[in-house]
Amino acid sequence: MLISGEEIQRRMGLDLNIDPFDPLRVNPNSYDLSLHHELLVYEEIVLDAASPNRYRRIEIPPEGLTLQPGLLYLGRTVEFTETHSLVPMIQGRSSFARLGLMVNPGGSLGDIGYCGTWTLDLHCVQPIRIYPNMKVCQIYYLDLLNPGATYCSKKYQNSRDIQPSLIFRELGGDNRDEQMELNFDEILHGSRS
């Protein structure tokens, strides 16, 4: 059963938490989450599921950033959420889908017990300008019939940053170089000592 916005407010601090919380962001059956001011972009031509992939951080300035089609951008929510007896789910806002911005089409199901910020995958069908702190998605909660074990994975739990894919760990990949630093300017223009 989907819980109402009123029930979200009633359960705040009990079996769920959203930090920061603003009562004006409560909807009839969800809560609006906002976009943090940083994004990650992979630097690999071919992404390898069995290996860590290089990425770089980019900042969304106050005047906005134009996203380009054909790229995957990883962002995160400003809000840190905790859910202890409900199933949290997030979904991109339909207003952005109507502009061709897809937010989390594949990673919207959370687990009971998940605590952390939400990593968002964003891609667009044509260039679109986005802004930091804009309400980009909604979190909603489902009551689970016969709740069982809670989320205990160390892969993404308690995250307060954007999390690139860690699927390589499941595939036996080596994580010694999870984020290899590569200075593209130095490579392109030679070392300037």
Side-chain angles (χ1 to χ4, degrees), residues 4 53 133:
S4 69
N53 295 280
N133 299 308

Side-chain angles (χ1 to χ4, degrees), residues 31-71:
Y31 181 88
D32 290 331
L33 298 176
S34 52
L35 181 65
H36 189 262
H37 64 86
E38 288 184 317
L39 299 173
L40 295 184
V41 180
Y42 287 111
E43 293 182 324
E44 307 289 353
I45 294 171
V46 175
L47 296 174
D48 185 349
S51 299
N53 295 280
R54 288 186 312 257
Y55 57 83
R56 64 185 161 92
R57 246 175 233 278
I58 55 178
E59 187 161 338
I60 307 169
E63 62 273 12
L65 176 73
T66 302
L67 302 185
Q68 298 298 321
L71 287 175

Side-chain angles (χ1 to χ4, degrees), residues 74-125:
L74 297 179
R76 76 165 176 91
T77 60
V78 169
E79 295 81 7
F80 183 94
T81 70
E82 291 184 47
T83 310
H84 299 288
S85 65
L86 299 166
V87 178
M89 299 185 72
I90 61 169
Q91 182 171 323
R93 293 182 59 210
S94 64
S95 294
F96 286 115
R98 293 170 197 192
L99 292 173
L101 177 63
M102 307 307 156
V103 179
N104 263 52
S108 62
L109 176 64
D111 287 303
I112 287 180
Y114 175 72
C115 299
T117 58
W118 290 78
T119 292
L120 307 172
D121 51 280
L122 302 104
H123 69 276
C124 55
V125 298

Side-chain angles (χ1 to χ4, degrees), residues 131-189:
Y131 301 88
N133 299 308
M134 65 183 194
K135 296 184 285 186
V136 71
C137 63
Q138 298 169 315
I139 190 167
Y140 57 102
Y141 300 92
L142 299 172
D143 220 345
L144 187 65
L145 186 61
N146 298 324
T150 61
Y151 185 75
C152 61
S153 170
K154 294 181 179 154
K155 198 164 37 169
Y156 303 116
Q157 182 74 315
N158 293 311
S159 171
R160 291 189 181 269
D161 197 3
I162 303 165
Q163 295 294 307
S165 176
L166 301 176
I167 191 98
F168 66 88
R169 292 179 181 173
E170 295 174 29
L171 301 173
D174 184 3
N175 68 352
R176 284 179 295 176
D177 294 319
E178 279 191 46
Q179 173 57 15
M180 299 176 289
E181 293 298 326
L182 189 57
N183 187 336
F184 285 104
D185 288 335
E186 189 173 304
I187 291 169
L188 290 174
H189 305 292

Side-chain angles (χ1 to χ4, degrees), residues 13-42:
L14 300 173
D15 56 356
L16 67 90
N17 193 36
I18 300 170
D19 183 31
F21 179 78
D22 179 353
L24 297 176
R25 291 183 174 221
V26 176
N27 300 310
N29 53 307
S30 65
Y31 181 88
D32 290 331
L33 298 176
S34 52
L35 181 65
H36 189 262
H37 64 86
E38 288 184 317
L39 299 173
L40 295 184
V41 180
Y42 287 111

